[in-house]
Amino acid sequence: MKKIRKAVIPAAGFGTRFLPETKAMPKEMLPIVDKPTIQYIVEEILDSGIEEILIISGHAKRAIEDHFDSSPELEHHLYESGKMKELEQIRRISDVKIHYVRQKYMNGLGDAILYAKDFMDGEPFGVILGDDVVYTGNGEPALKQLMDQYYKTGKSIIGCQMVPEEQVSSYGIIDGEKTEDENLLKVHDMIEKPSLEEAPSRFAALGRYVITPEIFDILEETKPGKGGEIQLTDALRVMAHCGNMYAYNFSGKRYDTGNKLGYLKAVVEFALRREDLGEDFKKYLKGLEL
Ligand code: G1P
């Protein structure tokens, strides 16, 4: 079984839900407290033991490249002013091996993943979507939990969690069956953003995948689906029909930072967990007349 050494972050979308902020600034750069959302994603990948990352970028995404670039002048300044903690933080992000490719047209998530074909070079790989941040505290990073399942099964794994009924139409929903490990489901089918009536379960794909390289040939044949876009879900279901797909109900608190309420929840909860801010922020929140 091949080792997972690489991951891809699709980050080409326009971010229309956050306009006007996203007109010139990528939504992936929206900060959760003082760190851009995409940095949480990159750190999850690194903490999972993966060192090579491909970001699928697009129009007006230069700030992402600048963020992960090295910045000798800033590093020098921090060193000279004795700000060693900040220096360490800056070095950690600029040392990461990140590659970029631009998605030419907004043809959907499946099309974006296809841009990773050459980079993956026949290896299995991780995928994390830029909108889905998962907090696992001292536990295993969510992507690492999926990788462990890949090493057990040798098959592609979709990260999932249960969502409330009113949310099934926002996600890829899984039709699966529990295995001996009740968190591991054998996937029979999957539907992209079904209505509540069509939804086969409440297990939703939540932005994390480990995928074997056969996906690329399937994606090349995948016709536009929901919303007229090439959907990753449609390619994954072909693999599922061949018995080559599992889903794992990962542990961790997941935030949908792609919508405004989810984003605000992430900012508030991450701030409350911070040693340097949490207590004061809690006091402030408690004092609000709501
Ligand atoms: C994408 C996928 C969907 C998945 C979701 C998770 O949809 O197509 O299957 O459940 O991400 O966030 P998007 O939110 O990009 O429309």
Side-chain angles (χ1 to χ4, degrees), residues 78 154 206 216 252 267:
L78 293 172
L206 293 184
F216 294 117
V267 173

Side-chain angles (χ1 to χ4, degrees), residues 142-159:
L143 182 62
K144 174 74 170 37
Q145 298 176 43
L146 303 194
M147 289 165 63
D148 290 345
Q149 296 305 319
Y150 163 78
Y151 290 123
K152 277 186 200 154
T153 61
K155 310 280 188 199
S156 297
I157 313 281
I158 302 169

